[in-house]
Amino acid sequence: LYFSAQEGILVFYDIKDLQYEIKICADISQPISSLMFSPDYTSLLLVTEQGTVYSYKPAHSGEAVKLLDTSSSCFLAADFLTPGNNYCVSVTISGEVQVWSLEDGSFLSKLNLGIEVQVT
């Protein structure tokens, strides 16, 4: 079970029967608003309230890697763009949908929906 603490810490609970072990996986020092696994469960996207997206690979148990920073655009959410793990899509409050490369964090495309967006 993965979850994030308010302080920006990614925590893993390894639950076996009635016992569990807690492991701190990454500290990104920004409140994490959402976590999304890739379709093949090899990568985890950590999305912050400030609009920064990090990648964490559970099998490698390394640090979270900063992929992109959209802090200038009232960022709401991001998720993997399937199939595969090479791209992600984000959305801003103003209704702009953006596509990013997860290999180098480069911006690829955008579409303006023309309406304000809310996450529910």
Side-chain angles (χ1 to χ4, degrees), residues 5-24:
Q6 190 66 22
E7 301 81 26
I9 299 171
L10 177 65
V11 179
F12 174 66
Y13 269 79
D14 187 8
I15 303 169
K16 293 179 182 170
D17 297 322
L18 297 176
Q19 296 184 358
Y20 65 92
E21 182 180 340
I22 301 173
K23 178 184 175 190
I24 294 176

Side-chain angles (χ1 to χ4, degrees), residues 54-118:
Y54 292 83
S55 174
Y56 178 78
K57 297 187 184 277
H60 297 110
S61 299
E63 284 294 314
V65 176
K66 186 181 199 178
L67 296 175
L68 56 104
D69 189 349
T70 62
S71 57
S72 62
S73 60
C74 299
F75 181 80
L76 280 180
D79 201 351
F80 287 93
L81 187 60
T82 57
N85 301 332
N86 298 328
Y87 305 99
C88 82
V89 62
S90 64
V91 65
T92 65
I93 292 172
S94 64
E96 187 172 270
V97 177
Q98 305 158 332
V99 178
W100 306 87
S101 168
L102 292 177
E103 290 181 19
D104 60 6
S106 62
F107 172 77
L108 300 174
S109 182
K110 70 179 177 179
L111 170 68
N112 194 328
L113 301 175
I115 58 170
E116 194 169 294
V117 177
Q118 296 179 354

